Amino acid sequence: MHESEPEYEAYTVRPYAITGGKVRAASGNLPMEALVRTPEGVAPSALLTPERRRMIELATDEFQSVAELSAHTRLPLGVVRVIVMELADENLLTIHIGGTVKDESTHDEHGALTLSLLESVLDGIAAL
């Protein structure tokens, strides 16, 4: 047995434990570019797991893509998708998929992407 094998085994068990055994979100597949944000007035609860609490914190002041949450939390993308969908079902996160030019949260009055959205994407890329 190699020294790295126990680490690998621990890593393969951990995501399964984090999602409670779920391998995909019940509501369908969530695109990795989907943006999430914590609704006004929602604060992370001490009753949440550290991973869920961290995702709520990351999305509190700015949009985060599912891919960015994966990078920031160092969790596999599939695990983050399951958690984000669960948090959205509990109204602890809002999911924005494929914003249109009329979506004021991602586009300005001219139909261009907002500066805050572009900064959020750049911050996520820099964090990778």
Side-chain angles (χ1 to χ4, degrees), residues 13-115:
V13 172
R14 189 168 183 260
Y16 180 86
I18 291 172
T19 63
K22 296 176 188 153
V23 292
R24 77 176 55 175
S27 305
N29 199 8
L30 182 65
M32 68 179 186
E33 68 273 9
L35 299 174
V36 298
R37 189 162 193 179
T38 306
E40 291 280 328
V42 171
S45 166
L47 300 175
L48 294 172
T49 64
E51 296 83 11
R52 286 167 169 74
R53 197 170 34 249
R54 179 73 177 132
M55 287 182 202
I56 291 171
E57 290 168 355
L58 287 167
T60 295
D61 294 324
E62 60 186 326
F63 287 98
Q64 295 285 325
S65 71
V66 174
E68 288 173 309
L69 291 176
S70 177
H72 287 302
T73 59
R74 298 179 186 225
L75 290 171
L77 187 58
V79 171
V80 172
R81 283 179 169 145
V82 171
I83 294 172
V84 165
M85 293 298 285
E86 287 177 347
L87 290 172
D89 288 345
E90 296 169 16
N91 298 318
L92 297 174
L93 282 180
T94 302
I95 301 172
H96 302 274
I97 299 176
T100 66
V101 293
K102 294 183 180 185
D103 185 350
E104 294 177 14
S105 62
T106 57
H107 292 77
D108 64 16
E109 64 275 1
H110 305 293
L113 294 174
T114 61
L115 182 59

